[in-house]
Amino acid sequence: MSQNTENKNQITDTNDVMDSDKYTNKVKKSKSKSLGSKKGKIIASLLFMTMVGIGGGFYAGTEYGRTLPATHRKYSKSQVLATIGDVKITGKDLSKKMEPYFYSQGLKKLSDEDIETQETNTLNYITNLEVLYKAGVDSGIKVTDDEIDENYSKTMSSIESTFNLTESEYLNKFHLTKDEFKEGLKKELIATTYLQDNSNVSEDEAKNYYNNNKEDFFKIRASHILISNYDEDGKELSDKKKAENKELAEKLLKRAQNGESFDDLALEYSDDSYTSSKGGDLGYFGQGKMDDNFEEAAFSLKNNQIYSKVVETSYGYHIIKKTGEQYSDFDDEKDGLVETLTNNKQNTLLQDALEKYNAKINM
C-alpha cells in the first residue's frame, strides 16, 4: 500500500471559499459556486482536533495549576449518539474527542453555540471516519504495524515538542491507552487511503470537464467607483448621509456617461483605496465572486459599457464599467480543477459509504 504516513486527515465536509483580489474578498458572499454546487474539502488536517488538540491554552494553564478548562460538558457514557450498522457511537466516544477541544480553549468561556457546533463537527468526524474505514476494509486496504508505529511516533513527537507534554501525560490526561490511540490511527490511515486511492483525477479528466463546461470559466473585467456607506472606522453611516452618497454617485455616473475619464473619477472619488489608483480596475472575475447585485449588473454589460444605474450593495453605491471578457486557459485552471474534481469524488465516496453502512446520527 502506498501511504504518506504524515498524512493523517480529518474526514469532514467544510465550505471552501475561493479567494480573488482584495476587493473581491470584500464584496463577495462567503460561498463558492465552482462546478455547480461544489462541496468543500472532505480531507482536512486531523492533527489539531483529535491528536494534539489541547493546544496552547492548556500549556499556558500550567501557571494556574492546570485548573483548566473554563468550559466543560459532561456526556452520558451510555447514550447512543450515532449508529453505523451495528456499531454504536456513544457519549463516551464523543467525550474522548471533546476533552482535548475544551482544553485547547484554556480559560476562554465558550458559548453553548460554540460547544454545540464543535460537538456536531466532532460527531460527524467520528461517523465519517467509521464508514470510510469500513469501506476501506471491505475494499481490501490494509496497513502495516510499521506504518501505524511511524504515525504514532510522529504524533507523539509533535505533542511533546509543541505542547510540552510527554506521551504519558497526554494519554493519562485524556484517559487513553496506547493501543486505543494506535487503533484510531489505524482507522484514519485506512479511511484516508481509501479516499485517496479512489479519487485520483487525471489531467485528461480535468480537460474533459473544462471542455464540456466552458461557461464555468468565462470571466469579465470591470472597473468601479465606490461611494462607501461606512466611515473610516467601519461604522455604518446615517440614512441622511447615505442619501447624500447616492446623490453623489448618480452625479458621478452622469459625468462618466458624458465622457469624463472613468480612471480620473475613480482616482478622485472612489472609496475603494485598493483600486482607485488603478482607475477602479477589479481585474478579471467569474460568476459567484461578487455581491449578487454587482455581479448581475457587471455581467449584463458589453465591453466598455457603463451600467445605466448606480448599483447598491451592502458596502455602498457603485458605478460599474465593463472593460473586457475572456475564457480562462485550461493551463491556468488545471490545478484548481484537479483539486475540485478530487474533492467531489471524495464527497461522493463519503456519501455512498454513509448510505451503504446505514449511518444515522441521533444527536
Side-chain angles (χ1 to χ4, degrees), residues 62-106:
T62 58
E63 299 176 8
Y64 300 90
R66 294 194 178 181
T67 58
L68 301 176
T71 305
H72 192 264
R73 185 171 286 186
K74 291 186 177 295
Y75 301 95
S76 171
K77 292 184 178 181
S78 60
Q79 182 182 4
V80 177
L81 303 176
T83 56
I84 301 96
D86 58 358
V87 174
K88 297 179 180 179
I89 307 300
T90 66
K92 180 180 180 181
D93 300 310
L94 179 61
S95 179
K96 283 182 177 291
K97 299 298 184 186
M98 289 296 295
E99 288 290 335
Y101 170 72
F102 288 129
Y103 274 90
S104 74
Q105 303 305 303

Side-chain angles (χ1 to χ4, degrees), residues 55-180:
F58 177 80
Y59 180 49
T62 58
E63 299 176 8
Y64 300 90
R66 294 194 178 181
T67 58
L68 301 176
T71 305
H72 192 264
R73 185 171 286 186
K74 291 186 177 295
Y75 301 95
S76 171
K77 292 184 178 181
S78 60
Q79 182 182 4
V80 177
L81 303 176
T83 56
I84 301 96
D86 58 358
V87 174
K88 297 179 180 179
I89 307 300
T90 66
K92 180 180 180 181
D93 300 310
L94 179 61
S95 179
K96 283 182 177 291
K97 299 298 184 186
M98 289 296 295
E99 288 290 335
Y101 170 72
F102 288 129
Y103 274 90
S104 74
Q105 303 305 303
L107 299 175
K108 178 182 177 181
K109 184 68 175 177
L110 300 173
S111 68
D112 288 341
E113 183 179 1
D114 290 334
I115 297 173
E116 288 166 5
T117 297
Q118 185 65 23
E119 287 173 340
T120 298
N121 291 340
T122 302
L123 191 56
N124 281 335
Y125 157 74
I126 297 171
T127 305
N128 293 347
L129 174 61
E130 188 67 33
V131 298
L132 290 171
Y133 165 69
K134 284 179 173 292
V137 170
D138 286 350
S139 66
I141 293 174
K142 296 180 180 180
V143 294
T144 66
D145 289 341
D146 287 344
E147 287 175 301
I148 297 170
D149 289 343
E150 183 178 354
N151 270 274
Y152 182 85
S153 296
K154 288 181 178 179
T155 302
M156 285 303 167
S157 176
S158 181
I159 288 172
E160 291 174 3
S161 63
T162 306
F163 301 106
N164 200 32
L165 287 169
T166 66
E167 174 184 346
S168 59
E169 284 178 324
Y170 181 85
L171 295 176
N172 291 336
K173 188 66 189 176
F174 299 107
H175 313 291
L176 295 166
T177 67
K178 191 172 182 177
D179 286 343
E180 285 177 326

Side-chain angles (χ1 to χ4, degrees), residues 21 23-24 27 220-227 261-285 290 294 298 318-323:
D21 57 43
Y23 180 73
T24 301
V27 301
I220 67 168
R221 188 171 191 169
S223 296
H224 81 136
I225 301 168
L226 169 66
I227 307 301
S261 168
F262 198 96
D263 289 5
D264 291 346
L265 291 172
L267 179 61
E268 183 174 357
Y269 291 101
S270 181
D271 291 322
D272 181 3
S273 59
Y274 182 71
T275 65
S276 61
S277 63
K278 301 183 291 183
D281 182 31
L282 294 166
Y284 281 96
F285 55 90
M290 297 291 189
F294 190 102
H318 306 258
I319 298 96
I320 303 172
K321 180 181 180 179
K322 180 180 173 183
T323 58

Side-chain angles (χ1 to χ4, degrees), residues 215-276:
E215 68 279 2
D216 289 352
F217 307 99
F218 178 72
K219 296 181 178 182
I220 67 168
R221 188 171 191 169
S223 296
H224 81 136
I225 301 168
L226 169 66
I227 307 301
S228 176
N229 282 334
Y230 295 85
D231 64 20
E232 293 180 353
D233 297 323
K235 183 178 179 181
E236 191 170 2
L237 301 178
S238 66
D239 289 343
K240 179 181 178 180
K241 183 59 179 173
K242 287 182 181 179
E244 293 174 359
N245 281 354
K246 185 175 183 181
E247 184 178 349
L248 172 60
E250 288 173 342
K251 289 180 179 179
L252 293 173
L253 172 60
K254 288 182 180 179
R255 290 172 63 178
Q257 290 173 326
N258 288 334
E260 287 196 46
S261 168
F262 198 96
D263 289 5
D264 291 346
L265 291 172
L267 179 61
E268 183 174 357
Y269 291 101
S270 181
D271 291 322
D272 181 3
S273 59
Y274 182 71
T275 65
S276 61

Side-chain angles (χ1 to χ4, degrees), residues 12 35 38 45 83 119 277 309 318 350:
T12 60
L35 305 186
K38 174 187 171 185
S45 174
T83 56
E119 287 173 340
S277 63
K309 298 178 181 179
H318 306 258
L350 173 59

